[in-house]
Amino acid sequence: MKFTILALTLVTGLLQQSSFAKPLIEQQIVERINQGLQQSTDTLQQVVNINSGTLNFEGVKEVADVFIAQFDAIGFDTQWVDGSEFNRAGHLVASYGTKGPKILMIGHLDTVFAKSDDFQRYQTLDNGFVAGPGIIDMKGGDVIILSALKALKGLNLLENVSVRVVMTGDEESSGRPLSLSKKAIIDAAKWADIALGFENADSNIKTAVVARRGSVGWQLNVEGRAAHSSQIFSEKVGYGAIFETARILNEFRENLVGVGNLSFNPGIIVGGTQINVQPQNATAGAFGKSNVVAKEVSVRGGIRALSLQELTDAQKVMQEIVAENLAHTSARLTFSEGYPPMSPTDNNYKLLSMYSDISESLGYGKVSPVNPRNAGAADISFAADHVDMAMDGLGLMGAGAHTKGEVADMSSFAKNMHKAAILIYRIGESELD
């Protein structure tokens, strides 16, 4: 049963009035986390040093096993959801409690770094920074989830909430169909009242995510009449596939740039007399000559929108543009399944206000909403429509995610554990069911 948002709002208001008093029990939460900080850091180093590129199924499962052992040790029920049906390693689900507000905590086990990549190890740098593959996206966030729950369990403060942790094994490259690969998150979200995501978002400890744009792939296939180039633009030959593609892409730009929070990008294009596209490994090749009118073009890209309406409107405009073909050309535009938007809601902002109040009470400063254009798609988008409140960006901060320059600012590690644990505690103390 979804809990009463109005009651939570009233409780939040009361807590805000005395936020700087920092109750004794919240000090105890902070101290407990600090006592376990070395173990948390050791766990972070252990999982970062395990390659878990999305397609390294054994590595993803090995990372999951590290977390499973630690969740088991604190009394959680753990489950490994096999991913063979959607061609991925699988997901970790850990659950605790049967009463109080239901909280879903979301992480992911995989990274963008393949097993063959030379960026593989945890490395301590100067000034409190640490480098490592997936350290902020998002093994640091996974450890924050675990450490916050460990501290609360050790202080017997998890009894007023029910928690379900879902750490997916395919966030960086989702298995297909999405109905299967995202089922663990969607099912947990339907159960939950609140969803908390521990991505790094824009890697600014002073921000959190209350809205994310959805992400959908698109593919444009264009055909023209192959002929000697001396006959291009003639009544018999027309304009060829490349000119028609250029027209379409330019009109996409002219009609959709600056519309709301929309963005779109043609990421790969190939054209000529004959083309060979291999989407499974994101490569393409072509044969063509400068004196031959191009017969085929293929373009693959993505589109991001903050609401389903924004996405639907953009797709309609794009299809209308594609249909107005130049002479002797044809074009077909298709959209793939993708990540839905996490729309900004009043309740998401209320949850952020509660989190920001906690941050201020700890002396860490106010937390403001991330600009949706600065936060990519994430698994929480599949949960947001099913819960009363959702917030993301609570993970380990740093820079260079998805690059070999990925580094963590370890000054944010314990701080975000403190904030997450106290948020869960305060939600439980609201005694709402």
Side-chain angles (χ1 to χ4, degrees), residues 53 74 103 117 137 139 182 198 212 239 244 272 301 327 375 383 390 399 422 432:
I74 59 172
I103 302 171
D117 201 291
D137 190 10
K139 292 177 179 179
K182 302 306 175 186
F198 288 79
R212 283 187 179 274
Y239 288 80
E244 169 64 348
I422 293 173
L432 300 170

Side-chain angles (χ1 to χ4, degrees), residues 15 51 67 69 84 93 100 125 146 173 244 274 298 315 415:
L15 288 167
N51 177 275
F67 288 110
S84 57
V93 179
L125 306 176
L146 174 65
S173 178
E244 169 64 348
Q274 184 177 359
S298 178
Q315 289 174 325
K415 290 178 181 178

Side-chain angles (χ1 to χ4, degrees), residues 176-255:
R176 294 294 191 272
L178 290 177
S179 60
L180 294 179
S181 69
K182 302 306 175 186
K183 186 175 186 301
I185 282 187
I186 293 170
D187 287 350
K190 289 178 178 177
W191 163 87
D193 302 310
I194 296 173
L196 302 175
F198 288 79
E199 285 272 9
N200 58 304
D202 67 345
S203 271
N204 183 347
I205 198 169
K206 296 182 179 180
T207 65
V209 177
V210 292
R212 283 187 179 274
R213 295 187 298 167
S215 177
V216 173
W218 54 267
Q219 181 169 341
L220 174 66
N221 293 316
V222 180
E223 292 190 1
R225 287 188 176 178
H228 195 283
S229 64
S230 64
Q231 300 304 301
I232 195 166
F233 311 140
S234 68
E235 184 176 345
K236 183 177 181 180
V237 174
Y239 288 80
I242 288 178
F243 270 119
E244 169 64 348
T245 303
R247 176 197 70 81
I248 291 170
L249 295 179
N250 187 57
E251 290 192 26
F252 285 175
R253 179 186 63 82
E254 289 181 341
N255 284 270

Side-chain angles (χ1 to χ4, degrees), residues 248-269:
I248 291 170
L249 295 179
N250 187 57
E251 290 192 26
F252 285 175
R253 179 186 63 82
E254 289 181 341
N255 284 270
L256 295 174
V257 166
V259 174
N261 285 281
L262 188 76
S263 66
F264 52 93
N265 176 59
I268 183 170
I269 182 170

Side-chain angles (χ1 to χ4, degrees), residues 99-168:
K99 63 180 182 179
K102 302 179 184 71
I103 302 171
L104 167 61
M105 303 175 76
I106 300 171
H108 68 81
L109 306 162
D110 63 319
T111 76
V112 299
F113 300 97
K115 193 173 182 178
S116 59
D117 201 291
D118 60 5
F119 184 46
Q120 295 286 0
R121 306 296 294 177
Y122 182 102
Q123 181 183 1
T124 302
L125 306 176
D126 294 334
N127 302 317
F129 284 82
V130 173
I135 193 166
I136 59 173
D137 190 10
M138 66 166 290
K139 292 177 179 179
D142 296 334
V143 177
I144 287 172
I145 292 172
L146 174 65
S147 300
L149 293 173
K150 269 188 174 182
L152 292 171
K153 184 65 166 58
L155 292 168
N156 296 316
L157 297 176
L158 273 184
E159 304 313 309
N160 292 329
V161 294
S162 298
V163 176
R164 187 172 300 177
V165 178
V166 178
M167 294 183 181
T168 64

Side-chain angles (χ1 to χ4, degrees), residues 201-202 207-215 260-263 304-307 310 340-345 348-349 352 368-378 381 392:
D202 67 345
T207 65
V209 177
V210 292
R212 283 187 179 274
R213 295 187 298 167
S215 177
N261 285 281
L262 188 76
S263 66
R304 297 175 185 268
L306 189 57
S307 69
E310 191 173 69
M342 174 187 175
S343 299
T345 68
N348 291 356
Y349 279 100
L352 172 63
S368 301
V370 170
N371 182 331
R373 291 186 66 90
N374 295 337
S381 296
D392 201 355

